[in-house]
Amino acid sequence: MDEIIIQPALHNAVGGIVVLAAIATVLLNWRGLLTLKTAGASASASSSLGGWQNAALIAFQIALMVQALIGIKLLDQGLGTVQKYVHYLGGLGALGLMMLYYWLPKRDARDSSVKALGLTVASLAFVLMTFIIGGLYARGGLS
């Protein structure tokens, strides 16, 4: 594993994918909540999300995990040590918020959608903070 060298550009590219996945997940969860509101009382009492919402949550979490693994490898290579706390807080914080969704009790489909939307919006904020601050550090804008 030590012989494999990862370029920082890969971390930046995957970071862009993470941002896009976060935005897509927020939009799908928002759409899912709006769909439930228009369905009214006839909505199912199930506490599960729709298929696209679940797929977006899974894809977003996988992207976050891949990004974290690439970041760990870059730290192992001696890169990015100045900004490691921003990355720990932003990247792993976003992943922790997404994990929190599965731990929270859900009364019904609306409650599940509200929690999914709230936590994905919070995760998006963490992801954007990390992507912007990390990009500024990488370009020498912050030191």
Side-chain angles (χ1 to χ4, degrees), residues 64 68 75 83-98 122-131 133:
L64 282 167
L75 284 173
Q83 54 185 322
K84 68 182 173 185
Y85 296 111
V86 169
H87 281 75
Y88 287 149
L89 177 65
L92 297 178
L95 187 57
L97 286 168
M98 295 315 305
S123 290
L124 174 61
F126 272 70
V127 164
L128 284 174
M129 174 199 67
T130 306
F131 187 75
I133 293 172

Side-chain angles (χ1 to χ4, degrees), residues 31-101:
R31 181 178 158 263
L33 184 59
L34 288 178
T35 302
L36 283 174
K37 283 186 178 184
T38 58
S42 65
S44 167
S46 167
S47 63
S48 65
L49 298 175
W52 286 107
Q53 287 173 282
N54 278 322
L57 285 171
I58 291 168
F60 178 42
Q61 290 171 78
I62 289 171
L64 282 167
M65 287 183 244
V66 168
Q67 181 71 334
L69 290 173
I70 292 170
I72 290 167
K73 178 59 179 152
L74 287 171
L75 284 173
D76 180 54
Q77 291 172 200
L79 300 171
T81 55
V82 173
Q83 54 185 322
K84 68 182 173 185
Y85 296 111
V86 169
H87 281 75
Y88 287 149
L89 177 65
L92 297 178
L95 187 57
L97 286 168
M98 295 315 305
M99 289 171 47
L100 179 61
Y101 167 74

